[in-house]
Amino acid sequence: MSLKNEFIEMITQLRARFAVPRIATIFLPPFYKDGQPKDAHFMAIVLEGGATGISYMLLPDEKMEAYNALQPRDVTGKDPQEFALEFGSDDPMKQMISMAAINAICQYIMKETDFPFDHVTDSLGLLSVHRGDRIGMIGLFFGLTDTIKKAGAELIIIEKKEPLIQKFRDLPITLDVTKLANCNKILCTSTTVLNNSLDEILTHCSPDAFVSVVGPTAGYFPDPLFACGVDVVGGRVVENSKEFLQRLAQRKRWGDTTLRTCFQKKTYRSIINEG
């Protein structure tokens, strides 16, 4: 089953079991042509009661007019599951809002069920890089490149933007996703879920490869990713929605308004099919 279908199946099952609050508010940063600055990368949906879901601003310039026309009244008071079920859309605006809605729904249910989080384990550390490893990196995790090099492992970075190859000539960046086939460990940014590219990426990975998906937009239950072959999902949950929104608006670091999470397929116990 595709990742899109796995997410829709998860939301459908959760919808049948839980009464999820409606959307209370939405945060939308200003739109910047030629890409968002680092302190304006995220939008958020907040449900009544405070459960908050975030999504990355991954919109092309041609969506600027549609984005600027989006008003809080277009989503507030509505059922977040209606937006969540649009996951997998070819429209990046719908996909962005859907991702935020999915995160908000899952974080509401996590809190309602007192779901046991692992806030201690470093999801990046689980990659456990050793000499002789071939690491496939989808998205540029700058903080890890030196670690991988010092460990004596080989690194292959897969990118979609050809200018990055020229910009970072000292890094092994390629557009050829088929090179993942020879990697035994794969690290993906969570935006591969948002831009609908993870399905294709996984088709090029060895069945024995250890695959991690990491990033702040992975604030959902990991069931869809585990079903598609991912081994570790690392994300963020919002602990203090009021303070979090203030920091987003002020373009400050999130600090203790969020907590990191780490889900491991080998130890994960799902609540999706319970009851």
Side-chain angles (χ1 to χ4, degrees):
M1 189 182 291
S2 70
L3 192 60
K4 171 184 175 179
N5 290 337
E6 291 287 353
F7 266 102
I8 290 175
E9 176 67 17
M10 178 179 74
I11 293 301
T12 301
Q13 291 184 19
L14 292 174
R15 188 179 196 179
R17 293 183 53 207
F18 298 94
V20 177
R22 293 186 174 269
I23 297 173
T25 189
I26 183 171
F27 171 81
L28 297 166
F31 190 104
Y32 293 84
K33 282 191 173 183
D34 301 319
Q36 298 291 114
K38 288 184 178 181
D39 56 5
H41 271 164
F42 297 94
M43 56 81 64
I45 283 177
V46 183
L47 306 187
E48 295 171 359
T52 303
I54 62 176
S55 187
Y56 195 76
M57 286 277 292
L58 198 65
L59 301 177
D61 285 350
E62 54 264 31
K63 284 293 178 179
M64 183 176 185
E65 183 176 350
Y67 179 85
N68 288 336
L70 184 62
Q71 298 295 320
R73 64 175 177 269
D74 296 329
V75 295
T76 54
K78 295 186 178 179
D79 183 350
Q81 292 161 115
E82 295 178 10
F83 298 103
L85 291 172
E86 293 184 322
F87 179 81
S89 172
D90 291 331
D91 182 339
M93 281 272 291
K94 289 184 177 180
Q95 183 74 344
M96 176 187 71
I97 295 172
S98 176
M99 188 82 272
I102 289 171
N103 280 326
I105 291 167
C106 289
Q107 293 193 28
Y108 168 77
I109 295 171
M110 288 174 183
K111 291 178 181 178
E112 283 294 295
T113 59
D114 199 23
F115 191 81
F117 292 117
D118 179 356
H119 296 306
V120 177
T121 304
D122 180 3
S123 53
L124 291 176
L126 291 174
L127 203 64
S128 188
V129 181
H130 301 287
R131 181 175 296 277
D133 282 337
R134 286 177 60 90
I135 310 296
M137 187 181 286
I138 295 84
L140 195 46
F141 292 78
F142 279 107
L144 279 182
T145 54
D146 285 344
T147 300
I148 292 170
K149 184 178 180 180
K150 289 177 182 177
E154 184 177 350
L155 175 63
I156 298 171
I157 302 170
I158 307 296
E159 268 290 350
K160 286 188 171 184
K161 300 175 182 178
E162 190 166 0
L164 288 177
I165 297 177
Q166 302 302 320
K167 184 176 181 180
F168 301 105
R169 292 177 178 271
D170 58 329
L171 293 176
I173 302 177
T174 177
L175 305 179
D176 186 2
V177 70
T178 65
K179 291 187 178 296
L180 292 174
N182 296 320
C183 296
N184 65 317
K185 296 176 181 178
I186 311 291
L187 177 61
C188 301
T189 173
S190 58
T191 55
T192 58
V193 177
L194 183 62
N195 67 14
N196 295 317
S197 65
L198 186 58
D199 276 324
E200 180 190 0
I201 288 165
L202 292 174
T203 64
H204 294 289
C205 297
S206 165
D208 299 324
F210 184 87
V211 182
S212 301
V213 174
V214 177
T217 57
Y220 37 73
F221 288 112
D223 301 60
L225 274 65
F226 286 165
C228 291
V230 175
D231 297 286
V232 170
V233 177
R236 288 269 166 179
V237 293
V238 178
E239 285 285 287
N240 184 330
S241 61
K242 183 178 179 180
E243 180 66 22
F244 174 73
L245 289 183
Q246 287 178 353
R247 294 193 187 184
L248 275 185
Q250 294 167 357
R251 299 169 72 162
K252 294 181 178 179
R253 291 184 178 273
W254 302 345
D256 58 3
T257 65
T258 68
L259 288 174
R260 69 183 181 188
T261 60
C262 179
F263 297 112
Q264 301 181 60
K265 187 176 184 178
K266 65 180 182 180
T267 59
Y268 178 68
R269 181 178 177 181
S270 176
I271 67 164
I272 305 299
N273 297 310
E274 290 183 355

